[in-house]
């Protein structure tokens, strides 16, 4: 798991779930078979399935990645 920032506002549980989405995609499809952007899109789709607010999911994933999704 990536190192958490001391001022991170994201709940640990949500961060672990996002980590699990990335790991599951890599385990299922294989390492280096998708671009990083494709992985991000699939993770966002997983998040949208679990949590209904697409805009909030994009914000959360942006916070997690440290870049705008």
């Amino acid at each position: 798991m990536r190192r958490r920032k001391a001022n991170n506002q994201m709940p640990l549980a949500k961060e672990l779930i996002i980590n699990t989405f990335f790991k599951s995609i890599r385990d299922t499809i294989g390492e280096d078979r998708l671009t990083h952007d494709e992985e991000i899109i699939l993770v966002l789709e997983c998040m949208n399935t679990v949590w209904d607010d697409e805009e909030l999911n994009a914000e959360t994933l942006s916070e997690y990645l440290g870049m705008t999704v």
Side-chain angles (χ1 to χ4, degrees):
M1 182 167 72
R2 69 183 175 83
R3 184 168 292 171
R4 288 176 55 87
K5 296 177 187 170
N7 62 353
N8 190 350
Q9 298 296 323
M10 183 180 300
L12 179 59
K14 191 168 263 192
E15 189 171 338
L16 290 172
I17 291 168
I18 294 170
N19 280 340
T20 302
F21 288 149
F22 274 107
K23 183 178 180 330
S24 177
I25 288 166
R26 289 177 183 144
D27 288 349
T28 302
I29 297 173
E31 288 283 332
D32 301 325
R33 304 248 355 217
L34 299 173
T35 66
H36 188 59
D37 290 344
E38 291 170 328
E39 284 183 348
I40 291 170
I41 290 168
L42 287 174
V43 168
L44 187 56
E45 287 181 18
C46 292
M47 292 173 69
N48 289 338
T49 300
V50 174
W51 303 295
D52 291 331
D53 191 336
E54 291 181 15
E55 189 172 315
L56 180 60
N57 293 336
E59 280 181 36
T60 301
L61 191 54
S62 293
E63 178 184 339
Y64 174 87
L65 295 170
M67 60 184 245
T68 303
V69 173

